[in-house]
Every structure is written in structure tokens, then in C-alpha cells.
Amino acid sequence: MEDNIFGIVVILIFLLILSAYFSATETAFTGLNRSRLKTMANDGNEKALRALNMAENYDRLLYTTLIGNNIVNILAASLATTLFVSLSPKNGVFYATVVMTIAVLLFGEITPKSFARQIPEEVAISSAPILKLFAIILWPLNFLFSFWLMLMRKIFTLDDNTSTTEDELITIVDEAEADGGIGPMEGELIRSAIEFNDLDVEDILTPRVDIVAVEENDSMEEIEEVFVINSFSRLPVYRNSIDSIIGVIHEKDFLAQKHYNETSIKPIIKNIVYASTTMKISTLLRILQKSKSHLAVVLDEFGGTEGIVTLEDILEELVGEIWDEHDEVIEPIVVKDDNTVIAAGSANLEDMFDMLGVNSSHFDYDAVTVNGWIIEILDNIPKAEEVFIADGLKVTVLHADEKVVQKAEIELLEQEEE
């Protein structure tokens, strides 16, 4: 009798170990980082490659762990009931239920799953060989459950869409940054790359009124003065009016032309790229790379010049502002306090809303800049010191002329004050 009890106890312990194994394996393969496994596999880790191959066939893996876990738990419960009934016929079922519930929860579920959640890749790699053996042994049951799931999918038309959206990717980056996996600079770069394709050319262009260009028949002295005053390495060239930009000249080509006492820039005018306002900046970037150009002219719906976009403008959307030793650093938006910013008229409207923590999704403005937003609200060009309230914001025009608002102070009002 004692030998039978000892044998049953040994079997129960073994079944609990198997239960812990299946629980830990399921948690590990569910929560592992596949990118990390791929990196390890690419570095020549054959065990990681085996675990990665199993993770790719997740349904079969899940069936194996669930079937194995349920089989060992049912067997353990049955053996424990038999053991306790033989020891205490009257209360044996009660004792077996209490003991096995505690044992399975503590040793077969909570402990192994908590452990596997901390180091999922390591657990997955170490458990993969044994799991592959169980997958072969339990193949008939796996096939049966695979057929059943396929039948349920046809009956209930289950959605099997597992693609990751941009918002989910950004959330993953935020979590990785919060956990210390990546730094703030890397996180910002990744977020910029994810959102890069959402931007249109009109979001980053230099408007027509700010374009510095030369006429194709201007004298060499006039063009030289434009280069000196503005410190640009390239200048657009127009014919008759700024609406007809025909190309671009490089400063080094111009200096060489002037050195040889040439009187015209026509031989050094390079072809230029044209773009629409609705073109994605990712598309324009590829066009500029293919054409080996650094500047594109943005056309409006009538074929006139809307503005220009440089390669630097596009790259700044990824890496932030790029300044050289000749640039005058001008911040378009300056934070005055927690609820107030001072924005240039040319500042991006969405950036201004973001810095104030304003959700602009329910706003319906055609304007892209702060200047355009103010004019759109007032339906006129305001004068300096003019104050108005709109959308919970108090706007004070600081500088303006007869054409544009150059600078404004925007304050986020409290609900009661509004």
C-alpha cells in the first residue's frame, strides 16, 4: 500500500512538472519578441532558429501546449482523487480538490507563467526541442482541432487580420522608450519615420512669397549680390515672373562662370523637378534622389508657383532642424509658459496646437500656418496688438503688416475663463 502511495505521489509530481512546462512554453511563445529571435537566428544561433520556426506556426504550437496541459492536469486530478479516496473514503474528494487546485495554480500555472513572462525568448529556445517531440506525439489531436477551428472560421467568418497599424507601432515605440529599451532620440526618429508618409508637400513647402530667385536675364552682378546677401548654395531661375521657374543654378557653377568673364547664366541653368501640393514627401524624396536634384518647385492647381521644397526640408521631417554655421537659428514657436506660446506667422499650425496640448481633430481649418489660421478666423489681416478668442485660445497679434501676421502670442484659456 505504501509503495502504491509513493508511486502515485511520484507520478503526480511528474505531471505537475509537465503542467508547469506546458504553461511556461505557452506564455513564452505568446509573449516573445520575434525580432529578437530573428536577430539571434541571423547571428547563427540554431536553437533560436528552431524556436522561430515553431513560433511561425503558432496555431500548431498553441494546440500542442493546450492539449498537453489539459491532459496532464486531468490525469493529475484523477490520480489525486484516487489517492485521497483510498486514504479517506469520506472526505477524499474534498481533500483532492483542495490540494490539487492549490498545487496546479501555484506550481502548474502562476509560477511558471510568471517566470516565462520575464524571459520569454530564453524559455522558448530551451523548450523548443521537447515541444517539437510533443507536437509529433499529439499530431492526431492537433489535426482534429485544426480541422475544428477551420470549420468554426467558415461558420462564423472570423476576422484573421493581424496587421499592425501606425498607431499601434507608435504605441510600441512609446512603451519601448518608457522601458528604457530605446532612448528619446531613437524613439523620436522612429516616430518621425512612421509618420513620414502621412505628410504632403504642402505641409513643408517654402511659400511663394518667401522664395528668393533670380531672372534668367539678370546681370552677373545682380545675381552675385543675391548669393552674397542670402548665403544660398542654389537659386531658382525664373522667366518673366516667379510663376515660370525654369531651373536652378548652383553657386559654384555661377562663380566659375563669373571667373571666366561670362555674361549669362543660361548655360549653367540645371533642370528642375516639379511637384504638386498633394504629393507625398516620401514620393518627392524618391524623385529627387532619382533625378539627383536638391530642389523642387511646387505648382498650384493653375500651374503657377505655390512654393519650393528642398531635400533638406524633407530630411528635417525625419531628423529635425538642420542648421549650418551660416544659418540664423530662429525657433518658429517659443514656449512662454505652460499655457502660452509665441509663434511666428509661418509656424506650422498643427505644431502650435501640439505644443499647447490642444486636440485639433475636431477643428476644420484649411490653413496650414498660424498666419493663415488667424486670417481664416478673422476673415481679414489684423493689425498689431489686436486680440481675439477662438477655440479656447486667446490670440494676441504682436507684429503684422499689410500682408501677413508675422508673430502672435497664443494662450490656452481655462474652461471657466473661456
Side-chain angles (χ1 to χ4, degrees), residues 374-375 377-389 394-400 405 407-409:
I374 293 174
I375 294 175
I377 292 174
L378 298 179
D379 202 22
N380 63 68
I381 300 174
K383 296 180 180 179
E385 305 304 324
E386 188 166 338
V387 180
F388 65 91
I389 294 176
K394 179 183 177 182
V395 181
T396 303
V397 178
L398 300 178
H399 301 290
V405 174
K407 187 180 290 185
E409 180 181 284

Side-chain angles (χ1 to χ4, degrees), residues 241-377:
S241 80
I242 197 70
D243 279 319
S244 180
I245 296 179
I246 60 173
V248 63
I249 59 171
H250 296 252
E251 184 180 25
K252 65 178 182 178
D253 295 335
F254 170 78
L255 293 175
Q257 194 82 341
K258 193 171 185 298
H259 176 76
Y260 291 109
N261 297 319
E262 298 291 342
T263 59
S264 174
I265 61 170
K266 291 182 180 180
I268 61 171
I269 297 176
K270 306 293 185 182
N271 292 331
I272 203 163
V273 171
Y274 297 96
S276 66
T277 56
T278 56
M279 180 184 289
K280 297 296 183 183
I281 64 174
S282 56
T283 303
L284 180 57
L285 175 60
R286 288 192 292 270
I287 293 174
L288 290 174
Q289 288 175 316
K290 187 176 181 181
S291 63
K292 299 180 181 179
S293 300
H294 282 249
L295 187 146
V297 175
V298 184
L299 304 177
D300 60 24
E301 57 182 316
F302 305 106
T305 300
E306 181 82 9
I308 60 171
V309 171
T310 65
L311 187 61
E312 182 177 309
D313 294 330
I314 298 175
L315 295 179
E316 284 179 341
E317 293 302 317
L318 282 174
V319 299
E321 291 293 330
I322 301 173
W323 307 99
D324 64 29
E325 58 272 20
H326 299 294
D327 287 336
E328 180 184 356
V329 180
I330 301 175
E331 294 293 342
I333 305 174
V334 178
V335 177
K336 186 176 180 180
D337 56 47
D338 292 341
N339 297 320
T340 309
V341 299
I342 296 176
S346 59
N348 184 276
L349 183 61
E350 286 297 325
D351 291 344
M352 187 270 289
F353 283 142
D354 290 342
M355 292 187 73
L356 287 172
V358 174
N359 182 6
S360 61
S361 59
H362 60 281
F363 295 163
D364 186 19
Y365 294 116
D366 295 326
V368 176
T369 65
V370 171
N371 169 64
W373 171 65
I374 293 174
I375 294 175
E376 186 174 344
I377 292 174

Side-chain angles (χ1 to χ4, degrees), residues 152-166:
M152 290 297 100
R153 283 175 176 169
K154 288 184 178 181
I155 294 175
F156 296 104
T157 317
L158 299 177
D159 183 12
D160 196 27
N161 182 19
T162 58
S163 59
T164 304
T165 65
E166 284 189 9

Side-chain angles (χ1 to χ4, degrees), residues 162-179:
T162 58
S163 59
T164 304
T165 65
E166 284 189 9
D167 290 340
E168 290 171 339
L169 284 174
I170 292 175
T171 301
I172 293 172
V173 173
D174 291 340
E175 291 178 351
E177 189 175 332
D179 293 339

Side-chain angles (χ1 to χ4, degrees), residues 12-59:
L12 283 174
I13 293 174
F14 177 71
L15 291 176
L16 283 175
I17 293 173
L18 286 179
S19 177
Y21 167 80
F22 285 121
S23 296
T25 302
E26 178 190 349
T27 301
F29 276 96
T30 301
L32 61 79
N33 187 325
R34 295 193 183 190
S35 299
R36 190 175 299 171
L37 272 186
K38 287 181 181 179
T39 302
M40 297 171 67
N42 292 335
D43 290 340
N45 190 325
E46 295 183 0
K47 294 181 179 180
L49 180 60
R50 185 189 299 116
L52 181 62
N53 291 333
M54 296 193 70
E56 297 295 338
N57 192 358
Y58 182 74
D59 284 348

